[in-house]
């Protein structure tokens, strides 16, 4: 299931991904406090059942903020309860505060389902794909160990989320890719001694088009819930371009 909603504010924080997470959390909390606690408080390490991407139009980047004519969020998940709660919460709150920003929910609609029947698909990234090795070193899609670490993290997420591993490893062929360094802020990291005088965390990710081969049920799960690390923080949201027969 995939929805799209727009947020409106005079300006937005440069690190807008955590703002979107906050909006999603508040929407759920408004609808079901117990589910909110289960998802975000009781087991914070459990992977969240969604991914999202942000699309900005006619925007201007400033030092710590962004001005944009349109701020659209695409949210995807195969968990219908989660998605229905988010939709209901967004319709209920309509406006909310995040730090010093006043946000309004301007539109909300469902998108067409993307159903996979083939064991090979071409996808493009709506939000960049983040893959790291065991030492948290970011890997480029051309790295010989990229596919291995991609499968390791996706298998772990799937087992943790559903109790079922990938039915077979996902093979990845890069059609085109471009590096994208994402700035983010993290309250816990800022309060730690290792933060020093740094203001941001930097994540080296990649956007582009990929050919994915594997079991079609695994590919559907990837498409619905996102791929790679930090997928519930605005990374790894994919769009289906075509199936390959």
């Amino acid at each position: 299931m995939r929805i799209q909603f727009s947020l409106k504010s005079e300006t937005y924080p440069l690190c807008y991904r955590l703002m979107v997470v906050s909006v999603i959390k508040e929407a759920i909390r408004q609808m079901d406090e117990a589910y909110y606690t289960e998802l975000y408080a009781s087991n914070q390490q459990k992977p969240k059942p969604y991914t999202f991407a942000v699309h900005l139009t006619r925007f201007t980047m400033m030092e710590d903020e962004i001005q944009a004519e349109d701020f659209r969020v695409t949210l995807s998940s195969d968990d219908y309860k989660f998605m229905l709660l988010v939709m209901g919460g967004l319709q209920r709150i309509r406006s909310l505060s995040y730090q010093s920003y006043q946000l309004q929910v301007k539109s909300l609609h469902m998108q067409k389902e993307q159903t996979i029947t083939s064991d090979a698909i071409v996808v493009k990234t709506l939000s960049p794909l983040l893959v790291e090795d065991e030492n948290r070193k970011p890997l480029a899609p051309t790295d010989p160990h990229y596919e291995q670490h991609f499968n390791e993290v996706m298998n772990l997420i799937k087992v943790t989320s559903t109790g079922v591993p990938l039915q077979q490893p996902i093979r990845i062929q890069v059609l085109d890719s471009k590096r994208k360094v994402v700035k983010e802020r993290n309250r816990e990291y800022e309060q730690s001694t290792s933060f020093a005088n740094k203001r941001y965390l930097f994540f080296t990710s990649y956007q582009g088009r990929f050919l994915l081969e594997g079991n079609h049920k695994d590919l559907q799960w990837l498409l619905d819930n996102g791929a790679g690390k930090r997928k519930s923080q605005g990374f790894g949201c994919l769009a289906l371009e075509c199936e390959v027969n």
Side-chain angles (χ1 to χ4, degrees):
M1 187 176 180
R2 194 164 286 213
I3 65 172
Q4 189 174 90
F5 61 92
S6 296
L7 298 175
K8 185 67 176 177
S9 176
E10 290 186 6
T11 59
Y12 307 90
L14 183 65
C15 302
Y16 54 76
R17 288 170 178 81
L18 294 183
M19 179 188 75
V20 174
V21 172
S22 182
V23 171
I24 293 169
K25 291 170 68 174
E26 180 59 22
I28 293 173
R29 193 185 67 81
Q30 288 284 333
M31 297 297 293
D32 192 329
E33 189 78 39
Y35 182 77
Y36 170 86
T37 300
E38 175 188 345
L39 193 62
Y40 289 104
S42 299
N43 190 353
Q44 297 186 28
Q45 299 304 313
K46 185 176 180 179
K48 306 301 182 286
Y50 66 89
T51 186
F52 69 85
V54 172
H55 179 73
L56 304 171
T57 58
R58 289 179 283 278
F59 61 91
T60 302
M61 306 285 289
M62 297 174 284
E63 182 178 358
D64 294 311
E65 294 183 313
I66 298 172
Q67 287 182 327
E69 185 172 311
D70 192 23
F71 187 107
R72 281 179 287 156
V73 181
T74 299
L75 177 66
S76 180
S77 174
D78 67 355
D79 187 327
Y80 277 78
K81 177 180 180 180
F82 168 83
M83 293 294 278
L84 291 173
L85 288 174
V86 172
M87 292 176 67
L90 290 174
Q91 291 173 328
R92 175 178 293 183
I93 57 181
R94 303 307 298 176
S95 64
L96 70 160
S97 299
Y98 173 76
Q99 297 178 354
S100 61
Y101 302 92
Q102 299 300 313
L103 306 171
Q104 291 182 308
V105 181
K106 301 297 292 183
S107 66
L108 170 64
H109 62 270
M110 294 181 63
Q111 294 189 312
K112 185 178 179 180
E113 294 279 356
Q114 299 177 310
T115 303
I116 297 171
T117 59
S118 173
D119 290 335
I121 58 174
V122 174
V123 298
K124 66 177 180 180
T125 56
L126 298 181
S127 55
L129 187 57
L130 176 64
V131 176
E132 299 174 332
D133 66 12
E134 63 274 9
N135 299 312
R136 296 188 178 180
K137 175 186 175 182
L139 299 178
T142 52
D143 189 288
H145 302 294
Y146 185 87
E147 190 174 283
Q148 170 196 338
H149 288 287
F150 176 86
N151 276 281
E152 287 176 356
V153 69
M154 296 318 302
N155 196 64
L156 177 61
I157 291 173
K158 193 165 190 288
V159 169
T160 307
S161 302
T162 69
V164 180
L166 296 173
Q167 296 193 36
Q168 64 188 71
I170 306 295
R171 296 183 61 190
I172 306 173
Q173 180 181 334
V174 182
L175 302 179
D176 61 72
S177 67
K178 181 180 180 181
R179 188 175 75 153
K180 182 178 179 63
V181 178
V182 175
K183 282 184 177 182
E184 269 302 342
R185 302 190 73 169
N186 182 292
R187 185 179 303 171
E188 293 180 2
Y189 185 59
E190 290 179 13
Q191 292 173 348
S192 71
T193 56
S194 60
F195 189 72
N197 295 318
K198 297 179 182 178
R199 300 183 63 194
Y200 297 103
L201 291 168
F202 294 89
F203 299 101
T204 302
S205 53
Y206 289 81
Q207 55 192 17
R209 298 170 60 249
F210 301 86
L211 171 64
L212 304 181
E213 296 179 80
N215 184 278
H216 69 277
K217 292 183 179 179
D218 291 335
L219 297 179
Q220 184 74 61
W221 177 77
L222 286 177
L223 185 68
D224 290 340
N225 297 289
K229 303 193 74 173
R230 297 183 179 271
K231 65 183 189 63
S232 62
Q233 297 176 24
F235 290 86
C237 186
L238 306 176
L240 178 66
E241 283 202 345
C242 65
E243 295 186 82
V244 180
N245 297 315

